[in-house]
Amino acid sequence: MEKQSSAEYIINIKNLDLFYGKFQALIAVDMLAQKNMITALIGPSGCGKSTLLRCLNRMNDLIRGVKITGKIEINNLDIYSKSTDVTELRKNVGMVFQRPNPFPLSIYDNVVYGLRVAGIRNKTELDEIAEKSLRGAWLWDQVKDKLNHPGLELPLDQQQRLCIARLLAVQPEVILMDEPCSSLDPIATMKIEELMIELKKEYTIVIVTHNMQQASRVSDFTGYMLLGEMIEFDKTVNIFTRPANKLTEEYISGKYG
Amino acid sequence: MKLVGEKGVQRILMITALSAISSLLLIALFIFSEGLPFIFKYGAGNFLLANEWDPNTGHFGIFPMIMSSVWVTLGAMVVGAPLGIAGAIFLSEYASPIIMKIVKPTIELLAAIPSVVYGFIGVMVLAPVIRNNLGGPGLSLLAGCIILGIMILPTVISISIDSILAVPRSYREGSLALGATTWQTTHMVTIKAARSGIVASIILGLGRAIGETMAVIMVAGNSVNIPNSALDSVRTLTANIALEMSYATGMHREALFATGVILFIIIMILNSIASVAIRNRNAKK
Ligand SMILES: Nc1ncnc2c1ncn2[C@@H]1O[C@H](COP(=O)(O)OP(=O)(O)OP(=O)(O)O)[C@@H](O)[C@H]1O
Ligand SMILES: [Mg+2]
């Protein structure tokens, strides 16, 4: 891996430990994510992928009894420092969940939700951003005639893209995706993957996936996690063709999990 | 050794259930058979819309009591609904789970306090405060509204909490992950998703308020008149039945049963609306 100045890394995780009460779910994790790249986290169930992802937008703050030590910098700012505005952080680091979770509101209200939360009320501005975001998530043509319909009426894959559109509307820098395709069929999955590759022109993406083909298809960097540790982190091609660690190799070749 | 077999248990349970249901049906039947003929004889319009209630001269207009019941109930809503909903939001979204575990059962316990106790507090504490500060007799529409407003709190709070807690976590997470604050999440997503349950809690509270008798008799003053102000003494439909039943005979007695029929119908309508609202909530998952 060639040397790069740390300024190009938008996410920099250093020596991160996380405890759920007494249980240590992350152990001395280091990770770097580069701007406009897709970084994938793989590993067997329960190894801490979602936990690590949820540290990046501080969603773990919502869980009682979570203790975190170590450092996470996004754009060189320590996101766990006292001066961090968590709502600002979450606008900058958006998240797509495993199960599509549109709000029980209309398609339009879903897309502009983040803007309204941010205090934008101007109708023309909202309309413009809504259209742009829906186009950005490849959903505009399907929904442009029924923006007042409930978002929950859409088929699952469109719901997931609605959730992506809702993020694009607030213009984050980073998009976190926690197994975004696990409830979708293969065709819908392909479509989301293509969308991700399109989105990385403007955004930095970190994705958790169980699907190794998916990681190898879409990601530029891959981290392999096991029992709370980051076993290996490297360019995706390296991880999948010549892993440095024997544990990684076992997992990749399907001997594990 | 088995005393009663599976079949036997089933039969006993069935008999119990049937007797419970049939006693309710019998009560309903009784009230209707006693009250409905009067309504036809006296005329529904005369009965429901006339202002004069004077059993001695054969005048049985219950309009003042209907209006009093409506005002007392609406007033109780104005007092109880905002308090109850705010309390439910606080407990479900802001309070720690421990506080919730302690406070919710406590509030539900409030429902078990006999209404005569609420009435007693109303007479001893509330009525003098109203009389001394706002004027009027003290025992009044306002006192009724406040006491009933408090009495419906357990219903409103506990059903609202249940419906707020039934809102999937993923909605809240989605909202918070977009940078919304807890309050924004609560009023822009959670409450909207829980809306039908909250509406149901209010309607059930309404049913409770309109049917309440003892506390209202004690605090509302019981004069038969259409209230002009919140400080007037009023008599509700329920109070009217309870106050006069013991000595009523003939037409008078039938008129009281007919009043019961009207109450019965109102409460049935309210409960049906509430159960439709609750069913909507469950269907919208
Ligand atoms: N809220 C919580 N409280 C306590 N322990 C938790 C909590 N959430 C997760 N854990 C534990 O932390 C570990 C890591 O969980 P995490 O959800 O991050 O795994 P994961 O790699 O995302 O798994 P999966 O692939 O199944 O989604 C697991 O052992 C899990 O049981
Ligand atoms: Mg996970």
Side-chain angles (χ1 to χ4, degrees):
Chain A
M1 211 170 133
E2 57 267 69
K3 279 259 173 288
Q4 270 154 336
S5 76
S6 69
E8 294 188 73
Y9 294 114
I10 183 165
I11 299 172
N12 186 351
I13 302 176
K14 281 185 256 177
N15 200 20
L16 188 76
D17 291 316
L18 181 143
F19 296 83
Y20 289 115
K22 290 204 183 69
F23 173 72
Q24 183 162 15
L26 295 177
I27 305 164
V29 171
D30 292 314
M31 192 190 104
L32 295 164
Q34 223 169 303
K35 207 170 168 55
N36 298 103
M37 294 285 171
I38 299 178
T39 303
L41 296 173
I42 60 171
S45 196
C47 67
K49 306 179 295 291
S50 300
T51 301
L52 180 58
L53 200 69
R54 292 165 60 93
C55 285
L56 295 171
N57 62 348
R58 293 188 55 171
M59 285 303 275
N60 287 327
D61 290 14
L62 305 176
I63 301 169
R64 262 160 237 277
V66 169
K67 213 181 91 218
I68 295 168
T69 60
K71 201 169 202 185
I72 300 181
E73 289 179 348
I74 294 182
N75 282 332
N76 295 320
L77 290 175
D78 178 0
I79 64 166
Y80 279 91
S81 86
K82 286 210 173 59
S83 57
T84 304
D85 177 348
V86 180
T87 59
E88 280 307 312
L89 170 71
R90 290 181 184 150
K91 278 171 196 148
N92 193 38
V93 183
M95 183 165 223
V96 179
F97 295 81
Q98 191 161 351
R99 279 200 64 76
N101 61 346
F103 304 123
L105 306 171
S106 71
I107 294 170
Y108 181 85
D109 288 338
N110 263 284
V111 180
V112 301
Y113 185 86
L115 301 169
R116 290 206 169 121
V117 158
I120 299 171
R121 292 278 177 270
N122 182 320
K123 179 90 174 86
T124 33
E125 192 179 353
L126 292 178
D127 287 351
E128 254 169 45
I129 301 179
E131 175 171 348
K132 190 158 155 260
S133 311
L134 285 166
R135 283 189 192 282
W138 297 349
L139 196 55
W140 176 252
D141 290 333
Q142 288 91 322
V143 302
K144 62 170 186 265
D145 299 322
K146 48 175 184 179
L147 291 174
N148 299 325
H149 288 222
L152 288 163
E153 250 173 33
L154 297 173
L156 267 189
D157 62 316
Q158 293 187 19
Q159 285 190 20
Q160 194 61 304
R161 277 184 280 136
L162 178 60
C163 293
I164 293 173
R166 161 177 105 175
L167 281 189
L168 302 187
V170 292
Q171 287 287 313
E173 277 185 280
V174 179
I175 298 179
L176 310 174
M177 298 183 160
D178 193 347
E179 303 189 38
C181 304
S182 64
S183 50
L184 306 182
D185 64 50
I187 294 171
T189 300
M190 288 300 290
K191 185 130 189 198
I192 299 267
E193 288 179 10
E194 285 166 28
L195 177 60
M196 286 171 62
I197 289 168
E198 175 74 23
L199 288 176
K200 82 171 183 178
K201 290 178 190 154
E202 285 181 61
Y203 305 89
T204 304
I205 298 176
V206 183
I207 177 177
V208 165
T209 176
H210 257 130
N211 178 335
M212 279 188 279
Q213 284 79 37
Q214 181 166 66
S216 67
R217 277 194 300 261
V218 300
S219 72
D220 304 288
F221 290 87
T222 298
Y224 170 58
M225 296 183 68
L226 183 62
L227 295 172
E229 290 183 83
M230 185 67 81
I231 302 294
E232 189 170 352
F233 186 86
D234 203 344
K235 284 193 172 150
T236 299
V237 277
N238 294 345
I239 292 274
F240 283 95
T241 55
R242 41 183 192 291
N245 193 303
K246 208 167 99 311
L247 294 170
T248 314
E249 192 182 336
E250 279 174 10
Y251 183 72
I252 301 298
S253 60
K255 279 187 205 140
Y256 197 130
Chain B
M1 190 186 75
K2 262 200 267 178
L3 276 178
V4 213
E6 182 69 25
K7 273 269 157 55
V9 172
Q10 206 176 348
R11 201 159 299 147
I12 292 170
L13 288 177
M14 180 143 101
I15 292 167
T16 330
L18 282 181
S19 48
I21 294 167
S22 48
S23 55
L24 288 177
L25 281 179
L26 279 177
I27 290 173
L29 206 72
F30 182 67
I31 296 172
F32 275 81
S33 68
E34 294 283 315
L36 271 186
F38 172 85
I39 296 179
F40 289 123
K41 199 164 43 180
Y42 192 75
N46 280 340
F47 180 54
L48 294 174
L49 300 177
N51 281 337
E52 193 178 347
W53 175 268
D54 187 355
N56 296 327
T57 58
H59 288 93
F60 300 106
I62 60 169
F63 190 66
M65 271 87 83
I66 292 180
M67 288 316 288
S68 299
S69 276
V70 166
W71 280 116
V72 167
T73 307
L74 288 181
M77 284 303 113
V78 170
V79 174
L83 270 180
I85 294 170
I89 290 171
F90 172 76
L91 286 172
S92 58
E93 304 296 291
Y94 289 88
S96 75
I98 303 160
I99 293 185
M100 170 82 147
K101 275 214 186 75
I102 299 168
V103 176
K104 190 175 179 237
T106 312
I107 287 171
E108 279 161 5
L109 208 66
L110 288 181
I113 296 177
S115 52
V116 69
V117 175
Y118 285 100
F120 185 65
I121 292 171
V123 173
M124 301 307 287
V125 181
L126 190 58
V129 167
I130 293 175
R131 186 169 51 238
N132 297 337
N133 294 297
L134 301 170
L139 298 175
S140 58
L141 175 59
L142 180 62
C145 294
I146 294 175
I147 289 295
L148 281 181
I150 293 169
M151 288 179 73
I152 62 169
L153 281 179
T155 311
V156 176
I157 292 182
S158 82
I159 295 174
S160 294
I161 284 184
D162 290 344
S163 65
I164 292 173
L165 290 182
V167 173
R169 248 184 94 72
S170 61
Y171 291 167
R172 295 184 180 83
E173 290 200 325
S175 168
L176 294 170
L178 281 168
T181 60
T182 308
W183 172 238
Q184 286 172 327
T185 302
T186 303
H187 82 93
M188 291 173 74
V189 176
T190 314
I191 304 239
K192 283 209 172 108
R195 190 171 38 199
S196 52
I198 293 173
V199 169
S201 81
I202 294 176
I203 294 170
L204 289 175
L206 237 130
R208 171 122 211 253
I210 213 165
E212 174 52 42
T213 310
M214 183 44 99
V216 180
I217 290 180
M218 291 171 77
V219 304
N222 302 322
S223 328
V224 181
N225 66 308
I226 299 175
N228 287 319
S229 97
L231 300 173
D232 284 355
S233 160
V234 295
R235 178 187 294 197
T236 62
L237 292 166
T238 51
N240 191 42
I241 299 176
L243 289 168
E244 301 192 357
M245 206 52 166
S246 57
Y247 61 86
T249 54
M251 280 280 270
H252 184 193
R253 183 170 164 280
E254 287 171 36
L256 294 181
F257 270 108
T259 312
V261 169
I262 302 301
L263 267 173
F264 197 100
I265 292 171
I266 294 173
I267 289 174
M268 257 183 1
I269 291 172
L270 287 178
N271 280 1
S272 329
I273 296 172
S275 54
V276 168
I278 287 177
R279 195 160 340 120
N280 275 350
R281 174 187 90 199
N282 294 339
K284 239 192 315 176
K285 268 288 150 71

